[in-house]
Amino acid sequence: MPSAWIDVPSPADFPSTLAFELAPVTWVPERFAHVFVDGSGGKHSSCDVLRRCGWGVVRVELSSTTGQFAPVKAHCGVVCGSLQTVPRAELCAIIVALTEYADVCVRIYSDHLNIVKRINAKPVSTWARGANSDLWVRIAELW
């Protein structure tokens, strides 16, 4: 595994606009999860007929012995249905993260700036408006 994948990042590597927390954080390592999510449009993303999108979720923990992040658990899948977009894939990954780690405080890292801004800036009641409202409703339910 490349060392760049497991080195402890500096705060500058993860701007606060790209992370959101699901609960007020009281640092208890066994009750806290760092989760990275991503969605992808795939090889044929410019052609609606061929496009198939997927998502990935990886939980990492900071090793007390090495001081590096190490992957603990990973999930991946495809976006169901005929509507295949990268934002839907990213939202699916967030839903999986919220479902899988419902029993701990979670910090989710995403590179989809529009989704992160929406989560950080707006109240939950406004999330179901606009595109992908079905997925936003599910996220609001899990919140």
Side-chain angles (χ1 to χ4, degrees), residues 26-50:
T26 301
W27 181 252
V28 180
E30 62 274 7
R31 304 292 300 160
F32 191 86
H34 290 281
V35 180
F36 291 79
V37 299
D38 200 15
S40 174
K43 180 178 171 181
H44 303 287
S45 62
S46 62
C47 178
D48 291 343
V49 177
L50 299 176

PDB file of all heavy atoms in Angstrom, residues 26-50:
ATOM      1  N   THR A  26     -17.162  14.362  21.253  1.00  0.00           N
ATOM      2  CA  THR A  26     -16.404  14.166  22.472  1.00  0.00           C
ATOM      3  C   THR A  26     -15.462  13.030  22.129  1.00  0.00           C
ATOM      4  O   THR A  26     -15.902  11.940  21.772  1.00  0.00           O
ATOM      5  CB  THR A  26     -17.327  13.763  23.640  1.00  0.00           C
ATOM      6  OG1 THR A  26     -18.294  14.784  23.822  1.00  0.00           O
ATOM      7  CG2 THR A  26     -16.518  13.562  24.901  1.00  0.00           C
ATOM      8  N   TRP A  27     -14.177  13.289  22.182  1.00  0.00           N
ATOM      9  CA  TRP A  27     -13.230  12.325  21.655  1.00  0.00           C
ATOM     10  C   TRP A  27     -13.164  11.076  22.532  1.00  0.00           C
ATOM     11  O   TRP A  27     -12.630  11.065  23.619  1.00  0.00           O
ATOM     12  CB  TRP A  27     -11.856  12.952  21.523  1.00  0.00           C
ATOM     13  CG  TRP A  27     -10.864  11.985  20.970  1.00  0.00           C
ATOM     14  CD1 TRP A  27      -9.850  11.383  21.645  1.00  0.00           C
ATOM     15  CD2 TRP A  27     -10.801  11.466  19.649  1.00  0.00           C
ATOM     16  NE1 TRP A  27      -9.160  10.541  20.818  1.00  0.00           N
ATOM     17  CE2 TRP A  27      -9.725  10.569  19.583  1.00  0.00           C
ATOM     18  CE3 TRP A  27     -11.560  11.674  18.498  1.00  0.00           C
ATOM     19  CZ2 TRP A  27      -9.383   9.886  18.437  1.00  0.00           C
ATOM     20  CZ3 TRP A  27     -11.217  10.989  17.356  1.00  0.00           C
ATOM     21  CH2 TRP A  27     -10.139  10.119  17.334  1.00  0.00           C
ATOM     22  N   VAL A  28     -13.751  10.014  22.033  1.00  0.00           N
ATOM     23  CA  VAL A  28     -13.653   8.688  22.615  1.00  0.00           C
ATOM     24  C   VAL A  28     -13.324   7.774  21.444  1.00  0.00           C
ATOM     25  O   VAL A  28     -14.197   7.480  20.624  1.00  0.00           O
ATOM     26  CB  VAL A  28     -14.979   8.241  23.287  1.00  0.00           C
ATOM     27  CG1 VAL A  28     -14.839   6.865  23.889  1.00  0.00           C
ATOM     28  CG2 VAL A  28     -15.425   9.271  24.315  1.00  0.00           C
ATOM     29  N   PRO A  29     -12.063   7.349  21.299  1.00  0.00           N
ATOM     30  CA  PRO A  29     -11.644   6.645  20.084  1.00  0.00           C
ATOM     31  C   PRO A  29     -12.536   5.496  19.661  1.00  0.00           C
ATOM     32  O   PRO A  29     -12.836   5.356  18.479  1.00  0.00           O
ATOM     33  CB  PRO A  29     -10.230   6.155  20.441  1.00  0.00           C
ATOM     34  CG  PRO A  29      -9.756   7.112  21.466  1.00  0.00           C
ATOM     35  CD  PRO A  29     -10.978   7.515  22.246  1.00  0.00           C
ATOM     36  N   GLU A  30     -12.982   4.680  20.585  1.00  0.00           N
ATOM     37  CA  GLU A  30     -13.803   3.540  20.184  1.00  0.00           C
ATOM     38  C   GLU A  30     -15.222   3.938  19.794  1.00  0.00           C
ATOM     39  O   GLU A  30     -15.984   3.126  19.286  1.00  0.00           O
ATOM     40  CB  GLU A  30     -13.829   2.455  21.282  1.00  0.00           C
ATOM     41  CG  GLU A  30     -14.427   2.907  22.592  1.00  0.00           C
ATOM     42  CD  GLU A  30     -13.432   3.595  23.521  1.00  0.00           C
ATOM     43  OE1 GLU A  30     -12.291   3.857  23.129  1.00  0.00           O
ATOM     44  OE2 GLU A  30     -13.825   3.883  24.660  1.00  0.00           O
ATOM     45  N   ARG A  31     -15.602   5.183  19.996  1.00  0.00           N
ATOM     46  CA  ARG A  31     -16.938   5.653  19.638  1.00  0.00           C
ATOM     47  C   ARG A  31     -16.883   6.712  18.544  1.00  0.00           C
ATOM     48  O   ARG A  31     -17.801   7.496  18.398  1.00  0.00           O
ATOM     49  CB  ARG A  31     -17.650   6.229  20.865  1.00  0.00           C
ATOM     50  CG  ARG A  31     -17.761   5.305  22.037  1.00  0.00           C
ATOM     51  CD  ARG A  31     -18.666   4.128  21.807  1.00  0.00           C
ATOM     52  NE  ARG A  31     -20.003   4.572  21.510  1.00  0.00           N
ATOM     53  CZ  ARG A  31     -20.909   3.828  20.913  1.00  0.00           C
ATOM     54  NH1 ARG A  31     -20.628   2.604  20.565  1.00  0.00           N
ATOM     55  NH2 ARG A  31     -22.102   4.280  20.665  1.00  0.00           N
ATOM     56  N   PHE A  32     -15.796   6.753  17.796  1.00  0.00           N
ATOM     57  CA  PHE A  32     -15.607   7.780  16.772  1.00  0.00           C
ATOM     58  C   PHE A  32     -15.071   7.128  15.503  1.00  0.00           C
ATOM     59  O   PHE A  32     -14.223   6.251  15.571  1.00  0.00           O
ATOM     60  CB  PHE A  32     -14.615   8.833  17.272  1.00  0.00           C
ATOM     61  CG  PHE A  32     -14.547  10.056  16.410  1.00  0.00           C
ATOM     62  CD1 PHE A  32     -15.435  11.096  16.594  1.00  0.00           C
ATOM     63  CD2 PHE A  32     -13.609  10.162  15.407  1.00  0.00           C
ATOM     64  CE1 PHE A  32     -15.383  12.232  15.802  1.00  0.00           C
ATOM     65  CE2 PHE A  32     -13.548  11.294  14.606  1.00  0.00           C
ATOM     66  CZ  PHE A  32     -14.434  12.321  14.811  1.00  0.00           C
ATOM     67  N   ALA A  33     -15.589   7.550  14.349  1.00  0.00           N
ATOM     68  CA  ALA A  33     -15.148   6.961  13.085  1.00  0.00           C
ATOM     69  C   ALA A  33     -14.810   8.048  12.070  1.00  0.00           C
ATOM     70  O   ALA A  33     -15.559   9.012  11.928  1.00  0.00           O
ATOM     71  CB  ALA A  33     -16.231   6.051  12.515  1.00  0.00           C
ATOM     72  N   HIS A  34     -13.686   7.878  11.401  1.00  0.00           N
ATOM     73  CA  HIS A  34     -13.334   8.692  10.235  1.00  0.00           C
ATOM     74  C   HIS A  34     -13.727   7.869   9.023  1.00  0.00           C
ATOM     75  O   HIS A  34     -13.240   6.742   8.847  1.00  0.00           O
ATOM     76  CB  HIS A  34     -11.838   8.977  10.182  1.00  0.00           C
ATOM     77  CG  HIS A  34     -11.360   9.907  11.235  1.00  0.00           C
ATOM     78  ND1 HIS A  34     -11.519  11.264  11.143  1.00  0.00           N
ATOM     79  CD2 HIS A  34     -10.734   9.674  12.412  1.00  0.00           C
ATOM     80  CE1 HIS A  34     -11.009  11.838  12.214  1.00  0.00           C
ATOM     81  NE2 HIS A  34     -10.523  10.894  13.003  1.00  0.00           N
ATOM     82  N   VAL A  35     -14.601   8.411   8.173  1.00  0.00           N
ATOM     83  CA  VAL A  35     -15.110   7.660   7.029  1.00  0.00           C
ATOM     84  C   VAL A  35     -14.952   8.515   5.773  1.00  0.00           C
ATOM     85  O   VAL A  35     -15.405   9.652   5.727  1.00  0.00           O
ATOM     86  CB  VAL A  35     -16.596   7.275   7.231  1.00  0.00           C
ATOM     87  CG1 VAL A  35     -17.108   6.506   6.038  1.00  0.00           C
ATOM     88  CG2 VAL A  35     -16.773   6.471   8.513  1.00  0.00           C
ATOM     89  N   PHE A  36     -14.311   7.934   4.760  1.00  0.00           N
ATOM     90  CA  PHE A  36     -14.132   8.599   3.482  1.00  0.00           C
ATOM     91  C   PHE A  36     -15.130   8.007   2.489  1.00  0.00           C
ATOM     92  O   PHE A  36     -15.287   6.787   2.422  1.00  0.00           O
ATOM     93  CB  PHE A  36     -12.702   8.397   2.963  1.00  0.00           C
ATOM     94  CG  PHE A  36     -11.677   9.132   3.782  1.00  0.00           C
ATOM     95  CD1 PHE A  36     -11.237   8.612   4.991  1.00  0.00           C
ATOM     96  CD2 PHE A  36     -11.174  10.343   3.351  1.00  0.00           C
ATOM     97  CE1 PHE A  36     -10.305   9.292   5.760  1.00  0.00           C
ATOM     98  CE2 PHE A  36     -10.241  11.028   4.112  1.00  0.00           C
ATOM     99  CZ  PHE A  36      -9.798  10.501   5.320  1.00  0.00           C
ATOM    100  N   VAL A  37     -15.819   8.873   1.754  1.00  0.00           N
ATOM    101  CA  VAL A  37     -16.802   8.418   0.765  1.00  0.00           C
ATOM    102  C   VAL A  37     -16.441   8.995  -0.601  1.00  0.00           C
ATOM    103  O   VAL A  37     -15.816  10.051  -0.692  1.00  0.00           O
ATOM    104  CB  VAL A  37     -18.248   8.842   1.140  1.00  0.00           C
ATOM    105  CG1 VAL A  37     -18.663   8.229   2.476  1.00  0.00           C
ATOM    106  CG2 VAL A  37     -18.401  10.346   1.187  1.00  0.00           C
ATOM    107  N   ASP A  38     -16.862   8.275  -1.651  1.00  0.00           N
ATOM    108  CA  ASP A  38     -16.642   8.790  -2.996  1.00  0.00           C
ATOM    109  C   ASP A  38     -17.621   8.153  -3.965  1.00  0.00           C
ATOM    110  O   ASP A  38     -18.059   7.022  -3.757  1.00  0.00           O
ATOM    111  CB  ASP A  38     -15.214   8.525  -3.462  1.00  0.00           C
ATOM    112  CG  ASP A  38     -14.793   9.448  -4.604  1.00  0.00           C
ATOM    113  OD1 ASP A  38     -15.477  10.461  -4.852  1.00  0.00           O
ATOM    114  OD2 ASP A  38     -13.779   9.154  -5.255  1.00  0.00           O
ATOM    115  N   GLY A  39     -17.966   8.890  -4.994  1.00  0.00           N
ATOM    116  CA  GLY A  39     -18.802   8.398  -6.072  1.00  0.00           C
ATOM    117  C   GLY A  39     -18.068   8.580  -7.379  1.00  0.00           C
ATOM    118  O   GLY A  39     -17.246   9.486  -7.518  1.00  0.00           O
ATOM    119  N   SER A  40     -18.355   7.718  -8.343  1.00  0.00           N
ATOM    120  CA  SER A  40     -17.659   7.786  -9.627  1.00  0.00           C
ATOM    121  C   SER A  40     -18.635   7.558 -10.768  1.00  0.00           C
ATOM    122  O   SER A  40     -19.582   6.781 -10.645  1.00  0.00           O
ATOM    123  CB  SER A  40     -16.564   6.724  -9.682  1.00  0.00           C
ATOM    124  OG  SER A  40     -15.977   6.698 -10.958  1.00  0.00           O
ATOM    125  N   GLY A  41     -18.362   8.223 -11.884  1.00  0.00           N
ATOM    126  CA  GLY A  41     -19.208   8.084 -13.065  1.00  0.00           C
ATOM    127  C   GLY A  41     -18.724   7.047 -14.044  1.00  0.00           C
ATOM    128  O   GLY A  41     -19.420   6.703 -14.982  1.00  0.00           O
ATOM    129  N   GLY A  42     -17.548   6.556 -13.854  1.00  0.00           N
ATOM    130  CA  GLY A  42     -17.071   5.469 -14.685  1.00  0.00           C
ATOM    131  C   GLY A  42     -16.556   5.880 -16.046  1.00  0.00           C
ATOM    132  O   GLY A  42     -16.572   7.040 -16.439  1.00  0.00           O
ATOM    133  N   LYS A  43     -16.138   4.871 -16.786  1.00  0.00           N
ATOM    134  CA  LYS A  43     -15.485   5.031 -18.081  1.00  0.00           C
ATOM    135  C   LYS A  43     -16.371   5.720 -19.114  1.00  0.00           C
ATOM    136  O   LYS A  43     -15.908   6.487 -19.941  1.00  0.00           O
ATOM    137  CB  LYS A  43     -15.072   3.637 -18.569  1.00  0.00           C
ATOM    138  CG  LYS A  43     -14.390   3.597 -19.888  1.00  0.00           C
ATOM    139  CD  LYS A  43     -13.996   2.152 -20.202  1.00  0.00           C
ATOM    140  CE  LYS A  43     -13.499   1.989 -21.598  1.00  0.00           C
ATOM    141  NZ  LYS A  43     -13.160   0.601 -21.890  1.00  0.00           N
ATOM    142  N   HIS A  44     -17.656   5.441 -19.107  1.00  0.00           N
ATOM    143  CA  HIS A  44     -18.570   5.992 -20.109  1.00  0.00           C
ATOM    144  C   HIS A  44     -19.477   7.074 -19.512  1.00  0.00           C
ATOM    145  O   HIS A  44     -20.644   7.167 -19.850  1.00  0.00           O
ATOM    146  CB  HIS A  44     -19.427   4.867 -20.698  1.00  0.00           C
ATOM    147  CG  HIS A  44     -18.616   3.773 -21.303  1.00  0.00           C
ATOM    148  ND1 HIS A  44     -17.942   3.927 -22.495  1.00  0.00           N
ATOM    149  CD2 HIS A  44     -18.357   2.524 -20.873  1.00  0.00           C
ATOM    150  CE1 HIS A  44     -17.298   2.801 -22.784  1.00  0.00           C
ATOM    151  NE2 HIS A  44     -17.539   1.933 -21.808  1.00  0.00           N
ATOM    152  N   SER A  45     -18.931   7.900 -18.630  1.00  0.00           N
ATOM    153  CA  SER A  45     -19.775   8.845 -17.893  1.00  0.00           C
ATOM    154  C   SER A  45     -20.419   9.915 -18.765  1.00  0.00           C
ATOM    155  O   SER A  45     -21.409  10.514 -18.372  1.00  0.00           O
ATOM    156  CB  SER A  45     -18.990   9.491 -16.753  1.00  0.00           C
ATOM    157  OG  SER A  45     -17.909  10.222 -17.260  1.00  0.00           O
ATOM    158  N   SER A  46     -19.901  10.167 -19.954  1.00  0.00           N
ATOM    159  CA  SER A  46     -20.512  11.190 -20.800  1.00  0.00           C
ATOM    160  C   SER A  46     -21.672  10.654 -21.640  1.00  0.00           C
ATOM    161  O   SER A  46     -22.400  11.423 -22.256  1.00  0.00           O
ATOM    162  CB  SER A  46     -19.462  11.813 -21.713  1.00  0.00           C
ATOM    163  OG  SER A  46     -18.931  10.822 -22.574  1.00  0.00           O
ATOM    164  N   CYS A  47     -21.884   9.344 -21.649  1.00  0.00           N
ATOM    165  CA  CYS A  47     -22.961   8.743 -22.435  1.00  0.00           C
ATOM    166  C   CYS A  47     -24.020   8.180 -21.478  1.00  0.00           C
ATOM    167  O   CYS A  47     -23.780   7.190 -20.774  1.00  0.00           O
ATOM    168  CB  CYS A  47     -22.407   7.633 -23.319  1.00  0.00           C
ATOM    169  SG  CYS A  47     -23.697   6.799 -24.282  1.00  0.00           S
ATOM    170  N   ASP A  48     -25.204   8.827 -21.443  1.00  0.00           N
ATOM    171  CA  ASP A  48     -26.256   8.430 -20.502  1.00  0.00           C
ATOM    172  C   ASP A  48     -26.653   6.965 -20.615  1.00  0.00           C
ATOM    173  O   ASP A  48     -26.967   6.317 -19.625  1.00  0.00           O
ATOM    174  CB  ASP A  48     -27.505   9.299 -20.697  1.00  0.00           C
ATOM    175  CG  ASP A  48     -27.286  10.736 -20.276  1.00  0.00           C
ATOM    176  OD1 ASP A  48     -26.309  10.998 -19.552  1.00  0.00           O
ATOM    177  OD2 ASP A  48     -28.109  11.588 -20.654  1.00  0.00           O
ATOM    178  N   VAL A  49     -26.648   6.428 -21.806  1.00  0.00           N
ATOM    179  CA  VAL A  49     -27.083   5.043 -22.015  1.00  0.00           C
ATOM    180  C   VAL A  49     -26.091   4.042 -21.423  1.00  0.00           C
ATOM    181  O   VAL A  49     -26.486   3.006 -20.890  1.00  0.00           O
ATOM    182  CB  VAL A  49     -27.280   4.771 -23.525  1.00  0.00           C
ATOM    183  CG1 VAL A  49     -27.663   3.329 -23.768  1.00  0.00           C
ATOM    184  CG2 VAL A  49     -28.335   5.705 -24.094  1.00  0.00           C
ATOM    185  N   LEU A  50     -24.816   4.354 -21.503  1.00  0.00           N
ATOM    186  CA  LEU A  50     -23.784   3.437 -21.019  1.00  0.00           C
ATOM    187  C   LEU A  50     -23.340   3.694 -19.583  1.00  0.00           C
ATOM    188  O   LEU A  50     -22.721   2.843 -18.965  1.00  0.00           O
ATOM    189  CB  LEU A  50     -22.549   3.517 -21.932  1.00  0.00           C
ATOM    190  CG  LEU A  50     -22.766   3.133 -23.390  1.00  0.00           C
ATOM    191  CD1 LEU A  50     -21.487   3.368 -24.173  1.00  0.00           C
ATOM    192  CD2 LEU A  50     -23.220   1.686 -23.505  1.00  0.00           C
TER     193      LEU A  50
END
